[in-house]
């Protein structure tokens, strides 16, 4: 077994940033490998104010946040120090030894992969719930005696609005109290509000409960990757992350297939009952089988116990952030806002992703109507209309993982890697997006065989993955220390657009038809094609010229 204690005592700048990204927070907040400020501050500093922290990081980093330092670049490792400055302080509390059983990295393989399995299952369920009842939208409208087509789309997309706001609160809370309490509380409340949505007696109640479901359902998406990073060594983490990523990728596409047949057999309310039953089972499994994995919280508990036992008030965790709850919330909410308003690269990438994500939810909110009206599908069969989108997404995920890694590895080997190399596959996605929209729209308009528009949606699924995944890795490479804030900014904007833009999709299709309606979206997406090309050519210059004070 590798020396797990070295993860805490000899972490390089690159390793700290990489682990912080996996855990979903900025690198100036301690991860299981420590904090970037351990490299940039002096040994005498044990508690820092928010202003001190920002100033010290500013002095300690070689480049500002928008000049970037790629995670995989060898220069970032060479320029970092080997140890943190506080290693010899007798008041620092850390693991007893490299094989300390309290360290989650030293758990048994059975316990580690059992935890990964449970977290992956929850992360599959909550995105699945975002669209699983889409085939039942007409039933919901009939139940509540509503003919408002804007509400027809909003009841599906309001769930993703919760994904935008929930993580802004969940992330700092997990850094204060650990991952396990957040899993338990959010899982329980997700079950409660799933049942509440099922028993809603009017449209307002239903939409509010759907939104709250999304807020709590965002928990595994927010802290799941961090849980995997807590317990799985870097060498094995890629496999675990791939399993975990399957949930957000295919969950929203598989959900309507399951929901279509269930709604036909038992009605739309049973869709939420089923989600609640499965989520409840996972919650019980969590409570019995999962333990806390977040090292900063575990070491803080150990330090608190030792302070009480020894009477030494100066004992402190090696991973103590020195940040108050107020400062953690500030970094979680204020930083993404600044990124979204002051960092040109973050603004451009976020707008690009927001528009393409809105297209995805326009499809989610209209598939049922399209295949019911145009192809006269009924009952559970309507859910199968999402199959093409899911298949295309899976192909896109494999394509990006295989060819994206090869491209980056080639440039790293040549010593000329730049974050903009991540965007080459995004250029490909930019071309496929309008192709898929034209294909889907006009094949539906012409009432061709149903396989033709489904192939068009497969092209769309591929294009969407070729947009989201390169964009996410590019933001990580550009913003390094503050990558989590940049990704949070992008997530908030795309969730807002995905919730609001589809509200007008039914009116658009009714006015323009499916052919010209999707053509309008395709023409807009054609306008986005130059974005990655421009960033590939001028991105380095933009990063060198711009600076954001956080």
């Amino acid at each position: 077994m590798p020396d797990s204690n070295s993860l805490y005592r000899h972490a390089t700048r690159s390793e700290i940033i990489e682990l912080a990204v996996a855990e979903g927070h900025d690198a100036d907040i301690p991860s299981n490998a420590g904090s970037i400020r351990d490299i940039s501050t002096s040994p005498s500093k044990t508690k820092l104010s928010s202003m001190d922290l920002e100033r010290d990081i500013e002095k300690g980093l070689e480049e500002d946040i928008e000049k970037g330092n790629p995670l995989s670049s060898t220069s970032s490792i060479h320029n970092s120090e080997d140890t943190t400055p506080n290693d010899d302080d007798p008041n620092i509390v850390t693991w007893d030894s490299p094989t300390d059983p309290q360290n989650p990295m030293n758990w048994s393989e059975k316990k580690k992969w059992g935890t990964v399995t449970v977290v992956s299952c929850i992360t599959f369920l909550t995105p699945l719930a975002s669209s699983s009842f889409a085939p039942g939208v007409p039933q919901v409208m009939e139940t509540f005696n509503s003919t408002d087509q804007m509400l027809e789309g909003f009841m599906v997309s309001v769930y993703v609005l919760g994904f935008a706001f929930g993580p802004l609160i969940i992330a700092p809370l997990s850094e204060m109290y650990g991952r396990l309490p957040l899993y338990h509380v959010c899982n329980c409340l997700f079950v409660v509000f799933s049942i509440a949505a099922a028993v809603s007696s009017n449209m307002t109640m239903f939409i509010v409960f759907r939104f709250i479901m999304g807020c709590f359902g965002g928990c595994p998406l927010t802290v799941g990757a961090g849980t995997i990073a807590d317990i799985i060594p870097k060498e094995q983490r890629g496999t675990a992350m791939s399993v975990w990523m399957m949930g957000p990728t295919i969950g929203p596409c598989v959900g309507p297939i399951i929901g279509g047949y269930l709604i036909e057999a038992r009605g739309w309310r049973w869709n939420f009952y089923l989600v609640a039953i499965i989520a409840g089972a996972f919650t019980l499994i969590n409570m019995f089988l999962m333990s806390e994995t977040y090292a900063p919280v575990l070491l803080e508990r150990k330090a608190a116990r030792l302070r009480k036992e020894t009477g030494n008030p100066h004992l402190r965790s090696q991973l103590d952030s020195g940040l108050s709850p107020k400062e953690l919330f500030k970094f979680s909410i204020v930083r993404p806002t600044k990124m979204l308003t002051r960092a040109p690269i973050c603004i451009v990438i976020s707008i690009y992703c927001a528009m393409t994500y809105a297209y995805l939810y326009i499809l989610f909110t209209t598939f049922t109507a399209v295949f019911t009206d145009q192809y006269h599908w009924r009952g559970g069969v309507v859910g199968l209309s999402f199959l093409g989108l899911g298949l295309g997404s899976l192909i896109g995920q494999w394509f990006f993982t295989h060819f994206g890694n090869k491209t980056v590895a080639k440039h790293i080997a040549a010593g000329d890697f730049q974050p903009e190399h991540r965007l080459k596959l995004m250029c490909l996605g930019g071309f496929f997006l309008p192709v898929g929209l034209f294909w889907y729209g006009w094949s539906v308009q012409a009432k061709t065989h149903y396989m033709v528009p489904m192939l068009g949606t497969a092209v769309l699924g591929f294009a969407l993955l070729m947009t989201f995944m390169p964009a996410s890795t590019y933001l990580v490479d550009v913003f390094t220390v503050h990558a989590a804030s940049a990704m949070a900014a992008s997530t908030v904007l795309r969730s807002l657009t995905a919730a609001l833009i589809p509200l007008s999709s039914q009116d658009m299709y009714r006015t323009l038809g499916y052919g010209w309606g999707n053509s309008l979206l395709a023409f807009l997406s054609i306008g986005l094609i130059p974005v990655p090309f421009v960033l590939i050519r001028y991105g380095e210059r933009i990063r060198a010229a711009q600076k954001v004070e956080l």
Side-chain angles (χ1 to χ4, degrees):
M1 179 179 292
D3 184 349
S4 60
N5 204 42
S6 66
L7 290 172
Y8 305 93
R9 298 179 63 83
H10 304 285
T12 64
R13 177 177 184 272
S14 176
E15 290 168 340
I16 290 171
I17 293 172
E18 184 175 4
L19 194 56
V21 169
E23 293 181 359
H25 59 75
D26 291 340
D28 51 10
I29 296 171
S31 68
N32 288 350
S35 166
I36 197 71
R37 72 183 175 94
D38 294 334
I39 295 173
S40 59
T41 58
S42 64
S44 61
K45 292 187 180 181
T46 59
K47 292 283 181 179
L48 296 176
S49 69
S50 172
M51 186 178 298
D52 291 335
L53 178 60
E54 291 298 325
R55 185 176 60 249
D56 287 337
I57 290 170
E58 186 76 23
K59 289 162 56 181
L61 298 181
E62 297 176 357
E63 299 173 334
D64 69 72
I65 61 171
E66 216 171 330
K67 293 177 183 176
N69 197 1
L71 299 182
S72 48
S73 170
T74 54
S75 65
S76 66
I77 298 177
H78 294 159
N79 289 331
S80 60
E81 299 179 12
D82 289 334
T83 60
T84 65
N86 292 329
D87 281 348
D88 298 326
D89 189 335
N91 288 319
I92 292 295
V93 176
T94 185
W95 305 116
D96 295 338
S97 71
T99 58
D100 188 344
Q102 296 181 70
N103 182 350
M105 278 287 182
N106 296 325
W107 287 356
S108 68
E109 291 297 304
K110 181 179 179 180
K111 186 173 183 179
K112 285 182 179 181
W113 287 100
T115 300
V116 170
T117 300
V118 173
V119 171
S120 298
C121 288
I122 300 172
T123 311
F124 175 79
L125 177 65
T126 53
L128 178 146
S130 68
S131 59
S132 61
F133 95 106
V137 166
Q139 287 190 21
V140 178
M141 298 292 288
E142 184 179 349
T143 300
F144 297 136
N145 299 315
S146 175
T147 57
D148 190 331
Q149 293 188 337
M150 183 175 291
L151 289 178
E152 187 173 347
F154 191 56
M155 70 172 71
V156 176
S157 61
V158 69
Y159 187 89
V160 79
L161 195 62
F163 279 4
F165 294 102
L168 294 178
I169 306 299
I170 292 170
L173 288 176
S174 70
E175 288 149 17
M176 292 161 55
Y177 303 109
R179 309 198 195 282
L180 197 61
L182 268 295
Y183 278 126
H184 291 340
V185 171
C186 290
N187 285 345
C188 288
L189 291 175
F190 181 77
V191 172
V192 168
F193 285 99
S194 295
I195 296 172
V199 299
S200 298
S201 58
N202 58 62
M203 184 67 78
T204 301
M205 289 175 60
F206 179 74
I207 288 177
V208 169
F209 292 147
R210 277 276 291 173
F211 170 74
I212 300 175
M213 278 180 66
C215 289
F216 293 116
C219 177
L221 297 172
T222 305
V223 301
T227 299
I228 293 172
D230 292 343
I231 60 178
I232 303 296
K234 183 177 180 180
E235 296 76 15
Q236 301 174 335
R237 200 175 297 153
T239 301
M241 287 291 190
S242 296
V243 173
W244 179 78
M245 276 296 296
M246 294 292 284
T249 301
I250 67 173
C253 302
V254 172
I257 299 174
I258 299 171
Y261 287 101
L262 177 62
I263 291 166
E264 180 187 23
R266 304 289 303 201
W268 67 267
R269 296 184 189 273
W270 261 97
N271 177 78
F272 292 93
Y273 287 136
L274 179 64
V275 169
I277 290 168
I278 298 174
F282 286 143
T283 301
L284 292 176
I285 292 172
N286 275 2
M287 290 180 174
F288 284 105
L289 299 183
M290 284 186 68
S291 302
E292 182 57 65
T293 63
Y294 192 41
V297 168
L298 292 173
L299 287 178
E300 179 55 41
R301 291 175 184 173
K302 181 178 180 180
R305 186 179 73 250
L306 291 175
R307 284 195 296 267
K308 184 177 181 180
E309 292 174 354
T310 64
N312 180 0
H314 302 295
L315 293 173
R316 64 187 183 280
S317 164
Q318 184 185 29
L319 301 179
D320 181 15
S321 68
L323 298 175
S324 67
K326 180 179 178 180
E327 288 167 332
L328 283 173
F329 274 100
K330 172 194 168 186
F331 290 159
S332 179
I333 297 173
V334 175
R335 275 183 176 173
T337 304
K338 288 185 176 180
M339 291 280 195
L340 203 52
T341 56
R342 302 182 186 179
I345 285 179
C346 184
I347 294 169
V348 170
I349 290 293
S350 297
I351 290 173
Y352 194 118
C353 290
M355 288 188 66
T356 53
Y357 205 62
Y359 292 168
L360 177 64
Y361 272 84
I362 286 175
L363 297 178
F364 280 162
T365 57
T366 58
F367 268 0
T368 299
V370 168
F371 282 86
T372 299
D373 297 340
Q374 299 295 99
Y375 293 98
H376 310 293
W377 288 13
R378 294 290 183 269
V381 179
V382 175
L384 297 177
S385 60
F386 291 77
L387 200 56
L389 200 60
L391 181 61
S393 298
L394 280 176
I395 295 172
Q397 185 176 12
W398 174 86
F399 193 93
F400 172 80
T401 302
H402 181 72
F403 291 101
N405 289 344
K406 285 183 66 174
T407 301
V408 171
K410 181 182 73 174
H411 286 287
I412 290 175
D416 64 350
F417 177 78
Q418 293 291 331
E420 285 71 30
H421 290 130
R422 299 281 192 185
L423 299 178
K424 291 183 177 179
L425 290 180
M426 193 172 178
C427 296
L428 185 65
F431 281 109
F432 273 94
L433 188 59
V435 169
L437 287 166
F438 283 127
W439 185 337
Y440 166 70
W442 286 107
S443 60
V444 168
Q445 184 75 29
K447 297 184 179 180
T448 59
H449 189 274
Y450 63 83
M451 282 301 299
V452 178
M454 287 186 72
L455 287 173
T457 62
V459 173
L460 280 170
F462 175 82
L464 292 170
L465 262 290
M466 286 298 98
T467 299
F468 299 146
M469 299 190 77
S472 297
T473 54
Y474 179 61
L475 288 176
V476 169
D477 282 345
V478 168
F479 292 97
T480 58
V481 175
H482 300 101
S485 290
M487 293 178 71
S490 179
T491 299
V492 168
L493 184 61
R494 78 185 191 195
S495 297
L496 284 171
T497 57
L500 300 177
I501 289 180
L503 300 183
S504 60
S505 58
Q506 292 282 19
D507 289 336
M508 177 187 70
Y509 286 134
R510 187 169 55 253
T511 303
L512 300 178
Y514 293 116
W516 282 111
N518 283 285
S519 293
L520 174 62
L521 302 180
F523 291 136
L524 292 173
S525 68
I526 289 173
L528 297 174
I529 289 177
V531 171
F533 289 96
V534 171
L535 289 176
I536 288 172
R537 182 160 186 175
Y538 299 107
E540 184 178 4
R541 191 180 308 174
I542 296 172
R543 289 188 283 114
Q546 299 295 327
K547 188 177 181 68
V548 181
E549 296 291 343
L550 298 177

